[in-house]
Amino acid sequence: MHYLTRITAVTTLLTAICTPVFADPVPKNIIYLIGDGMGLAHTTAYRYFADDPTTKHIETTIFDELLVGTASTYPDDDTFVTDSAASATALSTGFKSYNGAIGVDVDKKPLHSILEIAKQKGLHTAIVSTSQINHATPASFIAHNESRNNYDAIADEYISNKINGKPIVDLMLGGGTQYFIREDRNLIDEFKAFGYQYADDLSRLAELKTLPAIGLFAPAGLPHVIDEPVGTFHLDKMAQQALSLLSQDNEKGFFMMIEGSQIDWCAHANDIACAMHELSDFAKTIETVKAFAEKQGDTIVVITADHSTGGLSVGANSKYLWKSDVVRQVHASAASMSKQMLESNDVLKVWNSKIDFALTDEESALLNIALKKAQETNKPRVLANQISDVINERSMSGWTTHGHTADDVQVFAYGVGSEKFRGFQDNIAIAHKLIQFIK
Ligand SMILES: [Zn+2]
């Protein structure tokens, strides 16, 4: 070996010994967003729905900007198609389970969730959802129950699951008064005894001034944003208040799960306009959270879906066409229009007050048949489905199911450690990576 080469080799060795191994930077705050039922077709449709038609190009969305990878969602059985409970359990604990499982394994034994681990480590914890806060997705972060349908027992666990003598969630915002204020038990009074502030109206959200706090703004889920006055964003409003509360006294950091719950509900109903408006609220929430992470410089934002719902296709019926303008002309959910048509017994009047394009005679006849059927069977859903059929046909929106599909979902990330979520992963890996940050 030439002596110069030898010196270089020794220097390299010394450098290797003397240089401290810097661990990857670890985020202080974790914000985990779950778009329930939000598949690739949903964010694709949203891009064209949200596009500014006055410009020549198609604007990209926050989803396009933050995309890093994909995830498989299959549950621990032979169905491939997960429900929200099994997937939320995978996303919250890093273990797959059976459909219906809330934070328990296939033997119905409790699993540690990332929220529980965060609380053990002294982080503040929060959940925000537009469904009732004891619905499958948030529930899998807080409770352990063999069935997602045991709503009261799951709500009870929000107070009985304690770490250091206190409930494990410092901030809960969403719906669910019917489960938390019951004849047999008033959990809100019990939370108040633990020092929680309480608000029961979204217009009084700002009255929650310190943690711990709980805000329940509807008996079950909040209204669909499409049925609210233009410019109303429920999830974004709650997320903004949550960030402001969590930023006070934030020495150890926080873990927050935010669920866009009703993308799924609108997709189950095959209601394209309803789904687009829920996506709009979810996208706005992501913008808010990303701006926070950008300012802080110590936060990770990870966004994914638990599964895709409805088997949406952007374009249908063998036509090479999807009409975003038709979707933009719809200003109410099919469910709410169906209700109003049944109340007024007047299809045309309701249609013309909520939708900017006129019905053909044929469509009008179909809706009136459905109205009669809905009245006879006392099933408003029959009429709602017919309303959605007309809008789907006009906009060329395809749906293959009223349930979920096994399609992979997207993973989006921003901030400290976001590169770890690149590429394909199984949904449990998302939880493992996030839990690793806290541990
Ligand atoms: Zn779901």
Side-chain angles (χ1 to χ4, degrees), residues 269-271 333-339 341-342 367 370 374 379-391:
N270 292 178
D271 185 338
S333 67
S336 74
M337 284 187 274
S338 160
K339 201 168 157 249
M341 286 173 184
L342 283 163
L367 283 170
K379 283 181 181 157
R381 175 54 48 207
V382 173
L383 179 55
N385 285 343
Q386 186 59 57
I387 295 168
S388 290
D389 283 353
V390 171
I391 296 163

Side-chain angles (χ1 to χ4, degrees), residues 36-37 83-84 137 264 306-307 404:
D36 201 305
D83 83 327
S84 291
T137 305
D264 176 69
D306 52 350
H307 53 79
H404 300 170

